[in-house]
Amino acid sequence: MTSSDASASFLAKPYVLDLFAGPGGLDVAAHLLGVRSLGIEWDKDACETRYAAGLETLHADVSQVRRERFQDLPKELNVLAGGPPCQTYSVAGNGAGREALAKVEEVIHALLDRVSDEEIDRRLAELGDDNRTALVLEPLRYAIKALYCRNREGRPFDVIVLEQVPQVKALWQAYKKVLEAGLPGPDGMEVKYQVAEIATLRTEEYGVPQTRRRTILVARLAAHGSPRLPRPTHHAYNPHNPIQGGPQDEKAVAGEKQIALPVAGGEPPLRPWVPMWDVLRATERMPEGRKTPFEIKSNYGTGGDPEKRGIRTYRQPSFTVTGKASRNVVQTPGGRAPHDPDRMTIREAGILQTFPPNYPWDGGDQSQQVGNAVPPLFGMHVLAAALGIPHFQEEKVLADWEVASVEDRITLRKSGCDDPDGKGCGPDCPKKIRPTSKRQASASTSAAATSRPRTGASAKRSAK
């Protein structure tokens, strides 16, 4: 895809509020598209990575910000995004899951009936002591809160983008119903959205060198027209034909590459899926750079047998990168080179997630940070479709990231943690209390700081 400024979007100045922002996957995607973002994150470790990456962040609790600090958020925010923690129950299949979903839908309808926040919180508390159930409704509560915020003059979010594991599909369907029926605003008004078909997408079909599935909700205010999900750009990976679409280098032999076939409607032909080595070769120039050939043994069992670990080679996409990615064993036929680590490194896991090769992972539990993140390249496709951005440069994710200086990190921490010295957390930051889930994050109220360009290309564009 070719580059395009964010002005190509139907919104003149998109500005993303990223709930449950993690270490920055969706924010990286936004910045590479030329779109401003403000992240909200609970986990202190993830915030340290965000500060190191120069990302605007509020280290706080999502629910607390909605209740007490919503009016302090920049009024220019017009895109609501995020991936709330997946519930401890399944909303598909078994009876317990269906029962839990029915209870959550009752709370959703109570929101639409203008039941007080206190009553909503009470009903959510009755669903159990795991507050991830409550957090999954926060995006909807934010969308409603915007309609009553004096600072915003009641202006709704123009776009809503949500992502999570496939098990939340039934819940996103419930979101779709209420967004299309209309959110309750002041004076009896209803604010209606148009919502694209809820679908589970495969990240390798968008150029990510990893098999990972995410269920996506994309909504726009009805006045903006119907949104769509991003169209696949690559073929899906077929584990029964694992060499199809092999490496894009001189070692590929005739018959191994996937044939690009035209798709309906005159769309560009689908490209081969991307193998691990096409992105991991970026580490060759780094001290810990890995050489080929190699294969990765998954940390997880297959077919319900923990002893049977799947294996993929450098010529295939990676397994899903999880919070335990650093436990994946890297095997080298004939013995590994002296410099090759026998476990997947944090840098490699980040690259397989399509973070820039030099992304500044910081803080503790970095493996969990990487595994919880949205793959930035996938995020670029989803945000571009939601905002109507027709073209962008996919290869930007392989360019070096502009890491924040020490001074910039202090400034970001002062704003994000409300700490006058920029050395630690302020009084409103979550400290020793840890969320039930690593994905449980927070809201960002770092006021009107201008987002910095992240790469040389974006810096040149900003200078124009």
Side-chain angles (χ1 to χ4, degrees), residues 339-351:
H339 69 280
D340 278 355
D342 61 0
R343 299 279 175 171
M344 182 181 291
T345 67
I346 296 299
R347 187 190 300 278
E348 288 172 331
I351 292 173

PDB file of all heavy atoms in Angstrom, residues 339-351:
ATOM      1  N   HIS A 339      26.008 -17.330  19.283  1.00  0.00           N
ATOM      2  CA  HIS A 339      25.283 -16.135  19.718  1.00  0.00           C
ATOM      3  C   HIS A 339      23.775 -16.346  19.760  1.00  0.00           C
ATOM      4  O   HIS A 339      23.045 -15.496  20.257  1.00  0.00           O
ATOM      5  CB  HIS A 339      25.582 -14.968  18.771  1.00  0.00           C
ATOM      6  CG  HIS A 339      24.992 -15.145  17.415  1.00  0.00           C
ATOM      7  ND1 HIS A 339      25.585 -15.933  16.460  1.00  0.00           N
ATOM      8  CD2 HIS A 339      23.849 -14.662  16.861  1.00  0.00           C
ATOM      9  CE1 HIS A 339      24.837 -15.910  15.354  1.00  0.00           C
ATOM     10  NE2 HIS A 339      23.788 -15.157  15.587  1.00  0.00           N
ATOM     11  N   ASP A 340      23.270 -17.438  19.221  1.00  0.00           N
ATOM     12  CA  ASP A 340      21.822 -17.649  19.119  1.00  0.00           C
ATOM     13  C   ASP A 340      21.245 -18.099  20.467  1.00  0.00           C
ATOM     14  O   ASP A 340      21.583 -19.183  20.953  1.00  0.00           O
ATOM     15  CB  ASP A 340      21.503 -18.713  18.068  1.00  0.00           C
ATOM     16  CG  ASP A 340      21.504 -18.156  16.661  1.00  0.00           C
ATOM     17  OD1 ASP A 340      21.665 -16.930  16.532  1.00  0.00           O
ATOM     18  OD2 ASP A 340      21.342 -18.932  15.710  1.00  0.00           O
ATOM     19  N   PRO A 341      20.351 -17.325  21.083  1.00  0.00           N
ATOM     20  CA  PRO A 341      19.715 -17.772  22.330  1.00  0.00           C
ATOM     21  C   PRO A 341      18.781 -18.950  22.045  1.00  0.00           C
ATOM     22  O   PRO A 341      18.227 -19.069  20.960  1.00  0.00           O
ATOM     23  CB  PRO A 341      18.930 -16.537  22.782  1.00  0.00           C
ATOM     24  CG  PRO A 341      18.708 -15.740  21.541  1.00  0.00           C
ATOM     25  CD  PRO A 341      19.891 -15.992  20.661  1.00  0.00           C
ATOM     26  N   ASP A 342      18.628 -19.831  23.039  1.00  0.00           N
ATOM     27  CA  ASP A 342      17.783 -21.000  22.829  1.00  0.00           C
ATOM     28  C   ASP A 342      16.341 -20.753  23.227  1.00  0.00           C
ATOM     29  O   ASP A 342      15.528 -21.674  23.257  1.00  0.00           O
ATOM     30  CB  ASP A 342      18.346 -22.215  23.573  1.00  0.00           C
ATOM     31  CG  ASP A 342      18.413 -21.990  25.081  1.00  0.00           C
ATOM     32  OD1 ASP A 342      18.018 -20.904  25.536  1.00  0.00           O
ATOM     33  OD2 ASP A 342      18.877 -22.905  25.785  1.00  0.00           O
ATOM     34  N   ARG A 343      16.022 -19.538  23.565  1.00  0.00           N
ATOM     35  CA  ARG A 343      14.643 -19.130  23.827  1.00  0.00           C
ATOM     36  C   ARG A 343      14.329 -17.900  22.983  1.00  0.00           C
ATOM     37  O   ARG A 343      15.227 -17.128  22.629  1.00  0.00           O
ATOM     38  CB  ARG A 343      14.446 -18.781  25.303  1.00  0.00           C
ATOM     39  CG  ARG A 343      14.727 -19.932  26.262  1.00  0.00           C
ATOM     40  CD  ARG A 343      13.568 -20.879  26.357  1.00  0.00           C
ATOM     41  NE  ARG A 343      13.892 -22.043  27.180  1.00  0.00           N
ATOM     42  CZ  ARG A 343      12.999 -22.948  27.560  1.00  0.00           C
ATOM     43  NH1 ARG A 343      11.727 -22.796  27.202  1.00  0.00           N
ATOM     44  NH2 ARG A 343      13.353 -23.987  28.280  1.00  0.00           N
ATOM     45  N   MET A 344      13.062 -17.720  22.681  1.00  0.00           N
ATOM     46  CA  MET A 344      12.673 -16.521  21.944  1.00  0.00           C
ATOM     47  C   MET A 344      12.934 -15.296  22.815  1.00  0.00           C
ATOM     48  O   MET A 344      12.573 -15.261  23.985  1.00  0.00           O
ATOM     49  CB  MET A 344      11.190 -16.584  21.566  1.00  0.00           C
ATOM     50  CG  MET A 344      10.718 -15.399  20.747  1.00  0.00           C
ATOM     51  SD  MET A 344       8.952 -15.485  20.342  1.00  0.00           S
ATOM     52  CE  MET A 344       8.947 -16.866  19.195  1.00  0.00           C
ATOM     53  N   THR A 345      13.579 -14.300  22.251  1.00  0.00           N
ATOM     54  CA  THR A 345      13.867 -13.080  23.007  1.00  0.00           C
ATOM     55  C   THR A 345      12.672 -12.140  22.967  1.00  0.00           C
ATOM     56  O   THR A 345      11.774 -12.272  22.129  1.00  0.00           O
ATOM     57  CB  THR A 345      15.099 -12.360  22.432  1.00  0.00           C
ATOM     58  OG1 THR A 345      14.781 -11.870  21.120  1.00  0.00           O
ATOM     59  CG2 THR A 345      16.300 -13.291  22.346  1.00  0.00           C
ATOM     60  N   ILE A 346      12.657 -11.181  23.890  1.00  0.00           N
ATOM     61  CA  ILE A 346      11.582 -10.187  23.914  1.00  0.00           C
ATOM     62  C   ILE A 346      11.571  -9.404  22.608  1.00  0.00           C
ATOM     63  O   ILE A 346      10.505  -9.134  22.034  1.00  0.00           O
ATOM     64  CB  ILE A 346      11.753  -9.230  25.112  1.00  0.00           C
ATOM     65  CG1 ILE A 346      11.630  -9.999  26.433  1.00  0.00           C
ATOM     66  CG2 ILE A 346      10.739  -8.092  25.043  1.00  0.00           C
ATOM     67  CD1 ILE A 346      10.297 -10.683  26.631  1.00  0.00           C
ATOM     68  N   ARG A 347      12.741  -9.047  22.111  1.00  0.00           N
ATOM     69  CA  ARG A 347      12.805  -8.303  20.858  1.00  0.00           C
ATOM     70  C   ARG A 347      12.173  -9.118  19.719  1.00  0.00           C
ATOM     71  O   ARG A 347      11.405  -8.599  18.918  1.00  0.00           O
ATOM     72  CB  ARG A 347      14.244  -7.943  20.507  1.00  0.00           C
ATOM     73  CG  ARG A 347      14.348  -7.005  19.294  1.00  0.00           C
ATOM     74  CD  ARG A 347      15.781  -6.851  18.825  1.00  0.00           C
ATOM     75  NE  ARG A 347      16.653  -6.308  19.840  1.00  0.00           N
ATOM     76  CZ  ARG A 347      16.755  -5.012  20.110  1.00  0.00           C
ATOM     77  NH1 ARG A 347      16.019  -4.143  19.443  1.00  0.00           N
ATOM     78  NH2 ARG A 347      17.593  -4.588  21.033  1.00  0.00           N
ATOM     79  N   GLU A 348      12.503 -10.417  19.658  1.00  0.00           N
ATOM     80  CA  GLU A 348      11.955 -11.258  18.594  1.00  0.00           C
ATOM     81  C   GLU A 348      10.443 -11.400  18.727  1.00  0.00           C
ATOM     82  O   GLU A 348       9.715 -11.320  17.726  1.00  0.00           O
ATOM     83  CB  GLU A 348      12.618 -12.641  18.633  1.00  0.00           C
ATOM     84  CG  GLU A 348      14.053 -12.632  18.151  1.00  0.00           C
ATOM     85  CD  GLU A 348      14.752 -13.961  18.369  1.00  0.00           C
ATOM     86  OE1 GLU A 348      14.389 -14.690  19.314  1.00  0.00           O
ATOM     87  OE2 GLU A 348      15.660 -14.270  17.573  1.00  0.00           O
ATOM     88  N   ALA A 349       9.959 -11.595  19.945  1.00  0.00           N
ATOM     89  CA  ALA A 349       8.515 -11.699  20.148  1.00  0.00           C
ATOM     90  C   ALA A 349       7.829 -10.406  19.712  1.00  0.00           C
ATOM     91  O   ALA A 349       6.751 -10.428  19.087  1.00  0.00           O
ATOM     92  CB  ALA A 349       8.211 -12.003  21.616  1.00  0.00           C
ATOM     93  N   GLY A 350       8.437  -9.260  20.031  1.00  0.00           N
ATOM     94  CA  GLY A 350       7.866  -7.980  19.612  1.00  0.00           C
ATOM     95  C   GLY A 350       7.837  -7.831  18.106  1.00  0.00           C
ATOM     96  O   GLY A 350       6.855  -7.334  17.539  1.00  0.00           O
ATOM     97  N   ILE A 351       8.906  -8.257  17.432  1.00  0.00           N
ATOM     98  CA  ILE A 351       8.953  -8.169  15.972  1.00  0.00           C
ATOM     99  C   ILE A 351       7.885  -9.063  15.344  1.00  0.00           C
ATOM    100  O   ILE A 351       7.227  -8.680  14.367  1.00  0.00           O
ATOM    101  CB  ILE A 351      10.353  -8.534  15.457  1.00  0.00           C
ATOM    102  CG1 ILE A 351      11.363  -7.457  15.866  1.00  0.00           C
ATOM    103  CG2 ILE A 351      10.359  -8.691  13.935  1.00  0.00           C
ATOM    104  CD1 ILE A 351      12.800  -7.810  15.555  1.00  0.00           C
TER     105      ILE A 351
END
